[in-house]
Amino acid sequence: MQDTSDGEAIVARPSISYASVPKFFSSFWARFKSLWTRRFTLALLAGQLVSLCITCTNVTTTELIMRNWANATTQTFFLYFSLAVVYTPYTMYRYGLKGWAEMVRRDGWKYFILAACDVEGNFLVVKAYQYTTLLSCMLLDAWAIPVCLFFAWVYMRPKYHWTQILGILVCIGGLGLLVASDKITEKDYPAVSLVKGDIFMIIGASLYGFTNATEEFFVRRSPLYEVVGMLGFWGTIINGIQAAGLEHKQWMTSNWDGEVIGLLFAYTAALFILYTVAPILYRLASSAYYNISLLTSDFYGLLFGLFLFHFKPFWLYFPAFVVVIVGLVVYFWHATPEEQGKLDPQAPVYVQRRQGRLVSEQADDSNNQTQSDAVKNPVSMA
């Protein structure tokens, strides 16, 4: 057992013994059992929940397009608005109106950059699907993984073990099986402008990787309600202005019947859950783990397609799903979730001072207690 710099105890994985075959298998089993901590299990389940949410958004978007409703920017406006309505008032309640205003004045710029990249990432990825092929989008979307790894390293300097890289490669191998399945079953569609669409997807995936790593950096140091609330606050403004500029004419001609409103509600609900669970997953594991968890979304898409669109499943889908899950386990075969970054979420010091919660003689004790609570319960909203 060892301690991290933030005082968090980390239990090292049991070593693998190669002295004999029985010892190898017994030590291998001991290593496998050591993976299944409460934190890892929650991270694995949370990753599949966000993957399922991504599938729901894809299905609802397809249904909207089939009803001749194609307002990509307007569609995501309701997400940012709902995040702002739920989390911003709660942040005001916790910080006080003046404390919240000071937080916006001092730290609002970094959340503005985060929200702008998130909005434009969503916009460019949706546009990419309109120009390039489905298989190209599936492959290029994985570019978000190395981008996320790079920025996470820049922010938090995690020590990546070779087994984590292996886990990522195994997950991408599962993605390759999914792509092969779609190619064999001819589910791809022709590209309108391949180069333009591929460029959109690469830029959009890069923005995804940047925003994932940046949000992880923020939620490891600030309360979840502050980060998600500010993402919704600035996202509503940026997305609203963009939607009004690009799609205001389509608002008048688009269909707004009950089915469309229901699909918009389902789309927004799925993304609301994703944007709420994702930062919790960043704390439980990492933003890189979040990205590779999303690679199972195509398998869940198949399950939706079986019931909604009467797809015929191709056998490669099932081993592809298993391969991705194996990769998610291999990712933490040697490293532990606790090693992925320092976890010390606190309200800004100036807010604590305003509320009288930070005094010179008690500052160290208060910080240590807050840090200890966060380590014990990384899924709390603090």
Side-chain angles (χ1 to χ4, degrees), residues 339-359:
E339 294 176 305
Q340 303 312 298
K342 181 179 179 181
L343 182 59
D344 186 20
Q346 298 184 51
V349 172
Y350 50 83
V351 172
Q352 296 185 49
R353 285 175 179 159
R354 177 179 290 277
Q355 296 175 337
R357 286 158 41 194
L358 188 68
V359 293

Side-chain angles (χ1 to χ4, degrees), residues 171-185:
C171 289
I172 294 177
L175 173 64
L177 292 177
L178 290 171
V179 172
S181 300
D182 286 343
K183 185 68 174 178
I184 294 172
T185 55

Side-chain angles (χ1 to χ4, degrees), residues 293-355:
S293 295
L294 295 182
L295 296 180
T296 59
S297 61
D298 289 317
F299 175 78
Y300 296 126
L302 170 66
L303 299 182
F304 275 91
L306 290 175
F307 297 100
L308 296 178
F309 309 115
H310 306 292
F311 288 164
K312 293 182 179 180
F314 189 66
W315 67 272
L316 270 180
Y317 271 95
F318 301 98
F321 176 78
V322 174
V323 168
V324 175
I325 295 297
V326 169
L328 292 173
V329 174
V330 171
Y331 187 84
F332 283 126
W333 181 251
H334 182 276
T336 63
E338 292 80 7
E339 294 176 305
Q340 303 312 298
K342 181 179 179 181
L343 182 59
D344 186 20
Q346 298 184 51
V349 172
Y350 50 83
V351 172
Q352 296 185 49
R353 285 175 179 159
R354 177 179 290 277
Q355 296 175 337

Side-chain angles (χ1 to χ4, degrees), residues 72 90 102-103 148 281 335:
Y90 185 71
E102 188 172 4
M103 183 266 293
C148 181
L281 179 55

